Coordinates of all heavy atoms in Angstrom, one line a residue:
S1 N -22.3 -8.9 -8.0 CA -22.7 -10.3 -8.3 C -23.9 -10.7 -7.6 O -24.6 -11.7 -8.0 CB -21.5 -11.2 -8.1 OG -21.3 -11.3 -6.7
Y2 N -24.2 -10.1 -6.5 CA -25.5 -10.4 -5.8 C -26.7 -9.9 -6.5 O -27.7 -10.5 -6.5 CB -25.4 -9.9 -4.4 CG -24.4 -10.6 -3.5 CD1 -23.3 -9.9 -3.0 CD2 -24.5 -12.0 -3.2 CE1 -22.4 -10.6 -2.2 CE2 -23.6 -12.6 -2.4 CZ -22.5 -11.9 -1.9 OH -21.6 -12.6 -1.2
L3 N -26.5 -8.7 -7.1 CA -27.7 -8.1 -7.7 C -27.9 -8.6 -9.1 O -29.0 -8.8 -9.6 CB -27.5 -6.5 -7.8 CG -27.5 -5.8 -6.5 CD1 -27.2 -4.3 -6.7 CD2 -28.8 -6.0 -5.7
F4 N -26.8 -8.9 -9.8 CA -26.8 -9.4 -11.2 C -26.0 -10.7 -11.3 O -24.9 -10.7 -11.8 CB -26.3 -8.4 -12.2 CG -27.1 -7.1 -12.1 CD1 -26.5 -6.0 -11.4 CD2 -28.4 -6.9 -12.6 CE1 -27.1 -4.8 -11.4 CE2 -29.0 -5.7 -12.5 CZ -28.4 -4.6 -11.9
P5 N -26.5 -11.8 -10.9 CA -25.8 -13.1 -10.9 C -25.3 -13.5 -12.3 O -24.3 -14.2 -12.5 CB -26.7 -14.1 -10.3 CG -27.8 -13.4 -9.7 CD -27.8 -12.0 -10.3
S6 N -26.1 -13.1 -13.3 CA -25.7 -13.5 -14.7 C -24.4 -12.8 -15.2 O -23.8 -13.3 -16.1 CB -26.9 -13.2 -15.6 OG -27.1 -11.8 -15.7
L7 N -24.1 -11.7 -14.6 CA -22.9 -11.0 -14.9 C -21.6 -11.5 -14.2 O -20.5 -11.1 -14.5 CB -23.0 -9.5 -14.7 CG -24.1 -8.8 -15.5 CD1 -24.1 -7.3 -15.1 CD2 -23.8 -8.9 -17.0
Y8 N -21.8 -12.4 -13.2 CA -20.7 -12.8 -12.4 C -19.8 -13.8 -13.2 O -20.3 -14.7 -13.9 CB -21.2 -13.6 -11.2 CG -20.1 -14.1 -10.3 CD1 -19.3 -13.3 -9.5 CD2 -19.8 -15.5 -10.3 CE1 -18.3 -13.8 -8.8 CE2 -18.8 -16.0 -9.5 CZ -18.0 -15.1 -8.7 OH -17.1 -15.6 -8.0
S9 N -18.5 -13.6 -13.1 CA -17.6 -14.5 -13.8 C -16.3 -14.6 -12.9 O -15.9 -13.6 -12.3 CB -17.2 -13.8 -15.1 OG -16.2 -14.6 -15.7
R10 N -15.7 -15.8 -12.9 CA -14.5 -16.0 -12.1 C -13.3 -15.5 -12.9 O -12.2 -15.4 -12.4 CB -14.3 -17.4 -11.8 CG -15.3 -17.9 -10.7 CD -14.9 -19.2 -10.2 NE -15.8 -19.5 -9.0 CZ -15.4 -19.3 -7.8 NH1 -14.3 -18.7 -7.5 NH2 -16.2 -19.6 -6.8
K11 N -13.4 -15.2 -14.2 CA -12.3 -14.8 -15.0 C -12.1 -13.3 -14.9 O -13.0 -12.6 -14.9 CB -12.5 -15.2 -16.5 CG -12.4 -16.7 -16.7 CD -12.5 -16.9 -18.2 CE -12.2 -18.4 -18.5 NZ -12.2 -18.6 -20.0
I12 N -10.8 -12.9 -14.9 CA -10.4 -11.5 -15.0 C -9.7 -11.3 -16.3 O -8.8 -12.1 -16.6 CB -9.6 -11.1 -13.8 CG1 -10.3 -11.3 -12.5 CG2 -9.1 -9.6 -14.0 CD1 -9.5 -11.0 -11.3
S13 N -10.1 -10.4 -17.1 CA -9.4 -10.2 -18.4 C -8.0 -9.7 -18.2 O -7.6 -9.2 -17.1 CB -10.2 -9.2 -19.2 OG -10.2 -7.9 -18.6
H14 N -7.2 -10.0 -19.2 CA -5.7 -9.7 -19.1 C -5.5 -8.2 -19.0 O -4.6 -7.8 -18.3 CB -5.0 -10.3 -20.3 CG -4.9 -11.8 -20.2 ND1 -4.2 -12.5 -19.3 CD2 -5.6 -12.7 -21.0 CE1 -4.4 -13.8 -19.5 NE2 -5.2 -14.0 -20.5
W15 N -6.2 -7.4 -19.7 CA -6.0 -6.0 -19.7 C -6.3 -5.4 -18.3 O -5.7 -4.5 -17.9 CB -6.8 -5.3 -20.8 CG -8.3 -5.2 -20.6 CD1 -9.2 -6.1 -21.0 CD2 -9.0 -4.2 -19.8 NE1 -10.4 -5.8 -20.6 CE2 -10.4 -4.6 -19.9 CE3 -8.7 -3.1 -19.2 CZ2 -11.4 -3.9 -19.3 CZ3 -9.7 -2.4 -18.5 CH2 -11.0 -2.8 -18.6
T16 N -7.3 -6.0 -17.6 CA -7.6 -5.5 -16.3 C -6.4 -5.8 -15.3 O -6.0 -5.0 -14.5 CB -8.9 -6.2 -15.7 OG1 -9.9 -6.0 -16.7 CG2 -9.3 -5.6 -14.4
K17 N -5.9 -7.0 -15.4 CA -4.7 -7.4 -14.6 C -3.5 -6.4 -14.9 O -2.8 -6.0 -14.0 CB -4.3 -8.8 -14.9 CG -5.2 -9.8 -14.3 CD -4.7 -11.2 -14.7 CE -5.7 -12.3 -14.3 NZ -5.2 -13.6 -14.7
L18 N -3.3 -6.2 -16.2 CA -2.2 -5.3 -16.6 C -2.4 -3.9 -16.1 O -1.5 -3.3 -15.6 CB -2.1 -5.2 -18.1 CG -1.0 -4.4 -18.7 CD1 0.3 -4.9 -18.3 CD2 -1.1 -4.3 -20.2
V19 N -3.6 -3.3 -16.1 CA -3.9 -2.0 -15.6 C -3.6 -1.9 -14.1 O -3.0 -1.0 -13.6 CB -5.3 -1.5 -15.9 CG1 -5.7 -0.3 -15.2 CG2 -5.5 -1.3 -17.4
L20 N -4.1 -2.9 -13.4 CA -3.9 -3.0 -11.9 C -2.4 -3.1 -11.6 O -1.9 -2.5 -10.7 CB -4.6 -4.1 -11.3 CG -6.1 -3.9 -11.2 CD1 -6.8 -5.2 -10.7 CD2 -6.5 -2.7 -10.4
W21 N -1.6 -3.9 -12.4 CA -0.2 -4.1 -12.2 C 0.5 -2.8 -12.4 O 1.4 -2.4 -11.7 CB 0.3 -5.2 -13.1 CG 1.7 -5.5 -12.8 CD1 2.3 -6.3 -11.9 CD2 2.9 -4.9 -13.5 NE1 3.6 -6.3 -11.9 CE2 4.0 -5.5 -12.9 CE3 3.0 -4.0 -14.6 CZ2 5.3 -5.2 -13.4 CZ3 4.3 -3.7 -15.0 CH2 5.4 -4.2 -14.4
V22 N 0.2 -2.1 -13.5 CA 0.8 -0.8 -13.8 C 0.6 0.2 -12.8 O 1.5 1.0 -12.4 CB 0.4 -0.3 -15.2 CG1 0.8 1.1 -15.5 CG2 0.9 -1.2 -16.3
I23 N -0.7 0.3 -12.3 CA -1.0 1.3 -11.3 C -0.2 1.0 -10.0 O 0.4 1.9 -9.4 CB -2.5 1.3 -10.9 CG1 -3.3 1.9 -12.1 CG2 -2.8 2.0 -9.7 CD1 -4.8 1.7 -12.0
M24 N -0.1 -0.2 -9.6 CA 0.7 -0.6 -8.4 C 2.2 -0.3 -8.6 O 2.9 0.2 -7.7 CB 0.4 -2.0 -8.0 CG -1.0 -2.3 -7.6 SD -1.5 -1.3 -6.2 CE -0.5 -2.0 -4.9
F25 N 2.7 -0.6 -9.8 CA 4.1 -0.4 -10.0 C 4.4 1.1 -10.0 O 5.4 1.5 -9.4 CB 4.4 -0.9 -11.4 CG 5.9 -0.5 -11.9 CD1 6.9 -1.3 -11.3 CD2 6.1 0.5 -12.7 CE1 8.2 -1.0 -11.7 CE2 7.4 0.8 -13.0 CZ 8.5 0.1 -12.6
V26 N 3.5 1.9 -10.6 CA 3.8 3.4 -10.5 C 3.8 3.9 -9.1 O 4.7 4.7 -8.7 CB 2.8 4.1 -11.4 CG1 2.8 5.6 -11.2 CG2 3.0 3.8 -12.9
V27 N 2.8 3.5 -8.3 CA 2.7 4.0 -6.9 C 3.9 3.6 -6.1 O 4.5 4.4 -5.4 CB 1.4 3.5 -6.3 CG1 1.4 3.7 -4.8 CG2 0.2 4.1 -6.9
Y28 N 4.3 2.3 -6.2 CA 5.4 1.9 -5.3 C 6.8 2.4 -5.9 O 7.7 2.6 -5.1 CB 5.4 0.3 -5.3 CG 4.5 -0.2 -4.2 CD1 3.3 -0.6 -4.5 CD2 4.9 -0.1 -2.9 CE1 2.4 -1.1 -3.6 CE2 4.0 -0.6 -1.9 CZ 2.8 -1.0 -2.2 OH 1.9 -1.5 -1.3
F29 N 6.9 2.5 -7.2 CA 8.1 3.1 -7.7 C 8.3 4.5 -7.3 O 9.4 4.9 -6.8 CB 8.1 3.0 -9.3 CG 9.3 3.7 -9.9 CD1 10.5 3.1 -9.9 CD2 9.2 5.0 -10.5 CE1 11.6 3.7 -10.5 CE2 10.3 5.6 -11.0 CZ 11.5 5.0 -11.0
Y30 N 7.3 5.4 -7.4 CA 7.5 6.7 -6.9 C 7.6 6.9 -5.4 O 8.3 7.8 -4.9 CB 6.3 7.6 -7.5 CG 6.6 8.0 -8.9 CD1 5.7 7.5 -9.9 CD2 7.6 8.8 -9.3 CE1 5.9 7.8 -11.2 CE2 7.8 9.2 -10.6 CZ 7.0 8.7 -11.6 OH 7.2 9.0 -12.9
A31 N 7.0 5.9 -4.7 CA 7.2 5.9 -3.2 C 8.7 5.7 -2.9 O 9.2 6.3 -2.0 CB 6.3 4.9 -2.6
S32 N 9.2 4.7 -3.5 CA 10.7 4.4 -3.2 C 11.6 5.5 -3.7 O 12.6 5.8 -3.1 CB 11.0 3.0 -3.8 OG 11.0 3.1 -5.2
F33 N 11.2 6.0 -4.9 CA 12.0 7.1 -5.4 C 12.0 8.4 -4.5 O 13.0 9.0 -4.3 CB 11.5 7.5 -6.8 CG 12.4 8.4 -7.5 CD1 13.7 8.0 -8.0 CD2 12.0 9.7 -7.8 CE1 14.5 8.9 -8.7 CE2 12.8 10.6 -8.4 CZ 14.1 10.2 -8.9
A34 N 10.8 8.6 -3.9 CA 10.7 9.8 -3.0 C 11.5 9.6 -1.7 O 11.9 10.5 -1.1 CB 9.2 10.1 -2.8
K35 N 11.6 8.3 -1.3 CA 12.3 8.1 0.0 C 13.8 8.2 -0.2 O 14.5 8.2 0.9 CB 11.9 6.7 0.5 CG 10.6 6.6 1.0 CD 10.2 5.2 1.5 CE 8.8 5.2 2.0 NZ 8.4 3.9 2.3
I36 N 14.4 8.2 -1.3 CA 15.8 8.3 -1.5 C 16.2 9.7 -1.4 O 16.4 10.4 -2.5 CB 16.3 7.6 -2.8 CG1 15.9 6.1 -2.8 CG2 17.8 7.7 -3.0 CD1 16.2 5.4 -4.1
N37 N 16.4 10.3 -0.2 CA 16.9 11.6 0.0 C 17.7 11.6 1.3 O 17.7 10.6 2.0 CB 15.7 12.6 0.0 CG 14.7 12.4 1.2 OD1 15.1 11.8 2.2 ND2 13.5 12.7 0.9
N38 N 18.3 12.7 1.6 CA 19.3 12.7 2.7 C 18.6 12.4 4.0 O 19.1 11.7 4.9 CB 20.0 14.1 2.8 CG 21.0 14.2 1.7 OD1 21.5 13.2 1.2 ND2 21.3 15.4 1.3
D39 N 17.4 13.0 4.2 CA 16.7 12.8 5.5 C 16.3 11.3 5.7 O 16.5 10.8 6.8 CB 15.5 13.7 5.6 CG 15.8 15.1 5.8 OD1 16.9 15.4 6.3 OD2 15.0 16.0 5.5
W40 N 15.8 10.7 4.7 CA 15.3 9.3 4.8 C 16.5 8.4 5.0 O 16.5 7.4 5.8 CB 14.5 8.9 3.7 CG 13.7 7.7 3.9 CD1 14.0 6.4 3.7 CD2 12.4 7.6 4.6 NE1 13.1 5.6 4.1 CE2 12.0 6.3 4.7 CE3 11.5 8.6 5.1 CZ2 10.9 5.9 5.2 CZ3 10.3 8.2 5.7 CH2 10.0 6.8 5.7
L41 N 17.6 8.6 4.3 CA 18.8 7.8 4.4 C 19.5 7.9 5.7 O 20.2 7.0 6.1 CB 19.7 8.1 3.3 CG 19.2 7.8 1.9 CD1 20.2 8.2 0.8 CD2 18.9 6.3 1.7
R42 N 19.3 9.0 6.4 CA 19.8 9.2 7.8 C 18.8 8.8 8.8 O 19.0 8.9 10.0 CB 20.2 10.6 8.0 CG 21.5 11.0 7.3 CD 21.8 12.4 7.6 NE 20.7 13.3 7.1 CZ 20.5 14.6 7.4 NH1 21.3 15.1 8.3 NH2 19.5 15.2 6.9
A43 N 17.7 8.2 8.4 CA 16.6 7.8 9.3 C 16.1 8.9 10.2 O 15.8 8.8 11.3 CB 17.0 6.6 10.1
E44 N 16.1 10.1 9.6 CA 15.9 11.3 10.4 C 14.5 11.4 11.1 O 14.4 11.5 12.3 CB 16.1 12.6 9.6 CG 16.2 13.8 10.4 CD 17.3 13.8 11.5 OE1 18.4 13.3 11.2 OE2 17.0 14.2 12.6
P45 N 13.4 11.2 10.4 CA 12.1 11.3 11.1 C 11.9 10.1 12.1 O 11.4 10.3 13.2 CB 11.1 11.3 10.0 CG 11.7 10.8 8.8 CD 13.2 11.1 8.9
L46 N 12.4 9.0 11.7 CA 12.1 7.8 12.5 C 13.0 7.8 13.8 O 12.6 7.3 14.8 CB 12.5 6.5 11.7 CG 11.5 6.2 10.6 CD1 12.0 5.0 9.8 CD2 10.1 6.0 11.1
R47 N 14.2 8.4 13.8 CA 15.0 8.5 15.0 C 14.3 9.3 16.1 O 14.6 9.1 17.3 CB 16.4 9.0 14.7 CG 17.2 8.1 14.0 CD 18.7 8.5 13.9 NE 18.8 9.8 13.2 CZ 19.9 10.5 13.2 NH1 20.9 10.1 13.9 NH2 20.0 11.7 12.6
H48 N 13.5 10.2 15.7 CA 12.7 11.0 16.7 C 11.4 10.5 17.0 O 11.0 10.6 18.2 CB 12.6 12.5 16.1 CG 13.8 13.2 15.8 ND1 14.7 13.6 16.8 CD2 14.5 13.5 14.7 CE1 15.7 14.1 16.3 NE2 15.6 14.1 15.0
W49 N 10.7 9.8 16.1 CA 9.4 9.3 16.4 C 9.4 8.0 17.2 O 8.6 7.8 18.1 CB 8.6 9.1 15.1 CG 8.4 10.3 14.3 CD1 8.4 11.6 14.7 CD2 8.1 10.4 12.9 NE1 8.1 12.4 13.7 CE2 7.9 11.7 12.6 CE3 7.9 9.4 11.9 CZ2 7.6 12.1 11.3 CZ3 7.6 9.8 10.7 CH2 7.4 11.2 10.4
L50 N 10.3 7.1 16.8 CA 10.2 5.7 17.4 C 10.5 5.7 18.9 O 9.8 5.0 19.6 CB 11.2 4.8 16.7 CG 10.7 4.4 15.3 CD1 11.8 3.5 14.7 CD2 9.4 3.7 15.3
P51 N 11.4 6.4 19.5 CA 11.7 6.4 20.9 C 10.5 6.9 21.7 O 10.3 6.6 22.9 CB 12.9 7.2 21.1 CG 13.6 7.2 19.9 CD 12.5 7.1 18.8
K52 N 9.6 7.7 21.1 CA 8.5 8.3 21.9 C 7.3 7.4 21.9 O 6.3 7.7 22.6 CB 8.1 9.7 21.2 CG 9.2 10.7 21.3 CD 8.8 12.0 20.5 CE 9.9 13.0 20.6 NZ 9.6 14.1 19.8
R53 N 7.3 6.3 21.2 CA 6.2 5.4 21.2 C 6.1 4.7 22.6 O 7.1 4.0 23.0 CB 6.3 4.4 20.1 CG 6.3 5.0 18.8 CD 5.0 5.7 18.5 NE 5.0 6.4 17.2 CZ 4.8 7.7 17.1 NH1 4.5 8.4 18.2 NH2 4.9 8.3 16.0
K54 N 5.0 4.8 23.2 CA 4.8 4.1 24.5 C 4.1 2.7 24.3 O 3.0 2.6 23.9 CB 3.8 4.9 25.4 CG 4.3 6.4 25.6 CD 5.4 6.4 26.6 CE 5.6 7.9 26.9 NZ 6.9 8.3 27.0
S55 N 4.9 1.7 24.4 CA 4.4 0.4 24.3 C 5.4 -0.6 25.0 O 6.4 -0.2 25.5 CB 4.3 0.0 22.8 OG 5.6 -0.1 22.2
H56 N 5.0 -1.8 25.0 CA 5.9 -2.8 25.6 C 7.2 -3.1 24.8 O 8.1 -3.7 25.3 CB 5.1 -4.1 25.8 CG 4.6 -4.8 24.6 ND1 3.4 -4.3 24.0 CD2 5.1 -5.8 23.9 CE1 3.2 -5.0 22.9 NE2 4.2 -5.9 22.8
L57 N 7.2 -2.6 23.6 CA 8.4 -2.7 22.7 C 9.2 -1.4 22.7 O 10.0 -1.2 21.8 CB 8.0 -3.1 21.3 CG 7.4 -4.4 21.1 CD1 6.9 -4.6 19.7 CD2 8.3 -5.5 21.5
G58 N 8.9 -0.5 23.6 CA 9.6 0.8 23.6 C 11.1 0.8 23.7 O 11.8 1.6 23.0
W59 N 11.6 -0.2 24.4 CA 13.1 -0.3 24.5 C 13.7 -0.7 23.2 O 14.8 -0.4 22.9 CB 13.5 -1.2 25.7 CG 13.1 -2.6 25.5 CD1 11.8 -3.2 25.8 CD2 13.8 -3.7 24.9 NE1 11.8 -4.5 25.4 CE2 13.0 -4.8 24.9 CE3 15.1 -3.8 24.4 CZ2 13.5 -6.0 24.4 CZ3 15.6 -5.0 23.9 CH2 14.7 -6.1 23.9
I60 N 13.0 -1.5 22.4 CA 13.5 -1.9 21.1 C 13.4 -0.8 20.1 O 14.4 -0.5 19.4 CB 12.7 -3.1 20.6 CG1 12.9 -4.4 21.5 CG2 13.1 -3.4 19.2 CD1 12.1 -5.6 21.1
L61 N 12.3 -0.1 20.2 CA 12.1 1.0 19.2 C 13.1 2.2 19.5 O 13.3 3.1 18.7 CB 10.7 1.5 19.2 CG 9.6 0.5 18.8 CD1 8.2 1.1 18.9 CD2 9.9 0.0 17.4
A62 N 13.6 2.3 20.7 CA 14.5 3.4 21.1 C 15.9 3.2 20.5 O 16.7 4.1 20.5 CB 14.6 3.5 22.6
Q63 N 16.2 2.0 20.0 CA 17.5 1.7 19.4 C 17.6 2.5 18.1 O 16.7 2.4 17.3 CB 17.7 0.2 19.2 CG 17.6 -0.6 20.5 CD 18.6 -0.3 21.5 OE1 19.7 0.0 21.2 NE2 18.2 -0.2 22.8
E64 N 18.7 3.1 17.9 CA 18.9 3.8 16.6 C 19.0 2.9 15.4 O 18.6 3.2 14.3 CB 20.2 4.7 16.7 CG 20.3 5.7 15.6 CD 21.5 6.6 15.8 OE1 21.8 6.9 17.0 OE2 22.0 7.1 14.8
S65 N 19.5 1.7 15.6 CA 19.6 0.7 14.6 C 18.3 0.3 14.0 O 18.1 0.0 12.8 CB 20.4 -0.5 15.0 OG 19.8 -1.1 16.1
V66 N 17.2 0.3 14.9 CA 15.9 0.0 14.5 C 15.4 1.0 13.5 O 14.7 0.7 12.5 CB 15.0 -0.2 15.7 CG1 13.5 -0.4 15.3 CG2 15.4 -1.4 16.5
A67 N 15.7 2.3 13.8 CA 15.2 3.4 12.9 C 15.9 3.2 11.5 O 15.2 3.4 10.5 CB 15.6 4.7 13.5
Y68 N 17.1 2.9 11.5 CA 17.8 2.6 10.2 C 17.2 1.4 9.5 O 17.0 1.4 8.3 CB 19.3 2.5 10.3 CG 20.0 3.8 10.5 CD1 20.4 4.3 11.7 CD2 20.3 4.6 9.4 CE1 21.0 5.5 11.8 CE2 20.9 5.8 9.5 CZ 21.3 6.2 10.7 OH 21.9 7.5 10.8
L69 N 16.9 0.4 10.3 CA 16.3 -0.8 9.7 C 15.0 -0.5 9.1 O 14.7 -0.9 7.9 CB 16.2 -1.9 10.8 CG 15.5 -3.2 10.3 CD1 16.4 -4.0 9.4 CD2 15.1 -4.0 11.5
F70 N 14.1 0.2 9.7 CA 12.8 0.6 9.2 C 13.0 1.5 8.0 O 12.2 1.4 7.0 CB 12.0 1.3 10.3 CG 11.4 0.4 11.3 CD1 10.7 0.9 12.4 CD2 11.6 -1.0 11.3 CE1 10.2 0.0 13.3 CE2 11.1 -1.8 12.2 CZ 10.4 -1.3 13.3
S71 N 13.9 2.4 8.0 CA 14.1 3.4 7.0 C 14.5 2.7 5.7 O 13.9 2.8 4.6 CB 15.1 4.4 7.3 OG 15.3 5.3 6.3
Y72 N 15.6 1.9 5.8 CA 16.1 1.2 4.6 C 15.1 0.0 4.2 O 15.0 -0.3 3.0 CB 17.5 0.7 4.8 CG 18.5 1.8 4.7 CD1 19.0 2.4 5.9 CD2 19.0 2.2 3.5 CE1 19.9 3.4 5.8 CE2 19.9 3.2 3.4 CZ 20.4 3.8 4.6 OH 21.3 4.8 4.5
G73 N 14.5 -0.6 5.2 CA 13.5 -1.6 4.8 C 12.3 -1.0 4.0 O 11.8 -1.7 3.2
G74 N 11.9 0.2 4.4 CA 10.8 0.9 3.6 C 11.2 1.1 2.2 O 10.4 1.0 1.2
I75 N 12.5 1.5 2.0 CA 13.0 1.7 0.6 C 13.0 0.4 -0.2 O 12.6 0.3 -1.3 CB 14.4 2.4 0.6 CG1 14.3 3.8 1.2 CG2 15.0 2.4 -0.8 CD1 15.6 4.4 1.4
V76 N 13.5 -0.7 0.4 CA 13.6 -2.0 -0.2 C 12.2 -2.5 -0.5 O 11.9 -3.0 -1.6 CB 14.4 -3.0 0.6 CG1 14.3 -4.4 0.1 CG2 15.8 -2.5 0.7
Y77 N 11.2 -2.3 0.5 CA 9.9 -2.8 0.3 C 9.2 -2.1 -0.9 O 8.5 -2.7 -1.7 CB 9.1 -2.6 1.5 CG 7.6 -3.0 1.4 CD1 7.3 -4.3 1.5 CD2 6.6 -2.0 1.3 CE1 6.0 -4.7 1.4 CE2 5.3 -2.4 1.2 CZ 5.0 -3.8 1.2 OH 3.7 -4.1 1.1
D78 N 9.4 -0.8 -1.0 CA 8.8 0.0 -2.1 C 9.5 -0.3 -3.4 O 8.9 -0.4 -4.4 CB 8.8 1.5 -1.8 CG 7.8 1.8 -0.7 OD1 6.9 1.0 -0.5 OD2 8.0 2.9 -0.1

C-alpha cells in the first residue's frame, strides 16, 4: 500500500477470508488429532521437560498435575 496507494483497500473479499479460515482449521485440526495418542495423554514428554526448566516458576512446573494440564490444554486449544 505504500508503493501503490491506489491499490489499497480496507475491504477483504469473502473468498480470501474463507481460504484463510480453511487453512487455519486444517492446521489446528490435524495438530489436535496428532496429539491424541498414548504418550500425549499420559503427558509423557512434558513430565520430563518441565521439571528441568530453571526459572522462578520451577517449583510449579515440577508438579505432575501441571504437565497434565498443559498436555490436555494443548489438545483443547487445538
